[in-house]
Amino acid sequence: MSPLSPDHAARLRDAAGFIFDMDGTIALGDAKSGGHKALPHAIALLEALKARGTPYVVFTNGTAKAPADYAASLRGAGFPVEDHQMLTPSATAAAWFAAQGLRRVRVLGNAGCAAPLHALGLDVIDPAEPAGPVDAVYTGWFREFDFAALEAACESLWHGARLFTASNVPFFATATGRAIGSSFAINAMLTAMSGKRARILGKPARVAFDVARDVMGLPRSAARSMVVVGDDPALEMRMANSVGAMALGLTTGIMKTGADLAPRDAPTVLLDTLEPVLAALR
């Protein structure tokens, strides 16, 4: 793996803010407890940032739970993460839908996926609920997806609704290996039936980065002095590179090597552990 050079270390110390992925980066899902288990040095790293007064957020592309529930799970594992510091694609989607005037949204996802949309007062249409005009169909974590939901979503899309998704990656990291991202499979079916491709509102979309930056209270001009930490080249690394932020990759999840990656997906530096980052901040 690439060493953490003096220039990399200085960039970390001077960073305006950090965006951390969750699964495979700072923690892994713990099947026994239903919560999370911290990866080495992750808790100490967030504690060091908190002590330095450097803002940070944790941004998972998962939508199985509401952001506050994920934050509670991380706190249960020992992380210093408040509710407002936890983001999911549904949090960014809700903000974007509201800004765009898309008020009626059919959500193909569970209660945790829909929660941020409810919180902003959007009119959330259940997966198979009969409905009149719908502005958007939004897909997320939905293992309960069935034919009734497929038919209802297609009807909405055929009658003018736009298609959006939390994530369109096929896999994510867990303690027992890779797991299938349900929205990827759902999107494939909806695209095949409607001809519409899903616009991503989670990572690596610019809207996801912008919402995270706004939550930290940073100006748009701060993008190039921020650090995005993650394990997935197509998510965190691509998002960081698209805005000029430092792309700090880890081999603790999906990514195992930086070789043969396209420039947009390549990490600025690739590490086996968060320990060098922690050392640079101390």
Side-chain angles (χ1 to χ4, degrees):
M1 300 301 104
S2 301
L4 192 58
S5 70
D7 286 345
H8 293 146
R11 193 169 179 183
L12 291 169
R13 284 192 295 272
D14 295 339
F18 283 72
I19 301 172
F20 290 93
D21 174 49
M22 185 174 69
D23 295 308
T25 298
I26 62 170
L28 289 172
D30 184 355
K32 290 184 179 180
S33 67
H36 285 86
K37 181 178 180 181
L39 286 168
H41 311 291
I43 294 173
L45 175 54
L46 266 62
E47 289 176 337
L49 290 173
K50 183 177 180 180
R52 291 171 63 91
T54 302
Y56 59 88
V57 296
V58 178
F59 195 138
T60 177
N61 246 27
T63 53
K65 300 178 181 178
D69 293 331
Y70 280 122
S73 180
L74 289 177
R75 287 194 296 272
F79 286 96
V81 177
E82 301 300 323
D83 288 356
H84 73 276
Q85 294 175 294
M86 187 75 224
L87 295 173
T88 73
S90 290
T92 60
W96 194 83
F97 290 148
Q100 297 297 314
L102 303 177
R103 306 296 305 181
R104 288 176 55 79
V105 183
R106 184 181 296 281
V107 176
L108 272 60
N110 62 13
C113 181
L117 282 71
H118 281 296
L120 277 190
L122 300 180
D123 186 3
V124 175
I125 312 300
D126 288 340
E129 178 184 347
V134 172
D135 297 319
V137 173
Y138 171 64
T139 69
W141 182 258
F142 194 34
R143 293 277 174 133
E144 301 80 13
F145 181 76
D146 58 15
F147 206 83
L150 174 63
E151 288 183 317
C154 285
E155 286 291 339
S156 293
L157 293 170
W158 292 335
H159 288 87
R162 297 163 64 184
L163 180 58
F164 300 90
T165 188
S167 175
N168 199 42
V169 294
F171 306 109
F172 61 95
T174 73
T176 56
R178 68 181 188 180
I180 295 173
S182 61
S183 56
F184 178 87
I186 296 170
N187 294 337
M189 285 184 273
L190 295 180
T191 296
M193 296 302 296
S194 71
K196 296 183 178 181
R197 297 182 65 85
R199 176 172 176 173
I200 300 168
L201 295 179
K203 297 177 294 185
R206 178 61 188 254
V207 63
F209 180 88
D210 287 345
V211 169
R213 189 201 65 240
D214 289 345
V215 166
M216 288 186 277
L218 298 173
R220 193 176 184 88
S221 59
R224 291 184 175 275
S225 61
M226 292 172 62
V227 180
V228 181
V229 188
D231 70 298
D232 195 323
L235 295 183
E236 295 85 33
M237 303 302 97
R238 187 176 298 179
M239 183 171 74
N241 289 326
S242 71
V243 298
M246 182 178 185
L248 201 161
L250 291 166
T251 63
T252 47
I254 298 295
M255 182 165 42
K256 300 304 180 186
T257 175
D260 301 322
L261 289 174
R264 67 175 183 170
D265 296 339
T268 307
V269 60
L270 182 61
L271 302 172
D272 290 322
T273 171
L274 288 167
E275 192 279 331
V277 185
L278 178 60
L281 296 178
R282 284 178 167 170

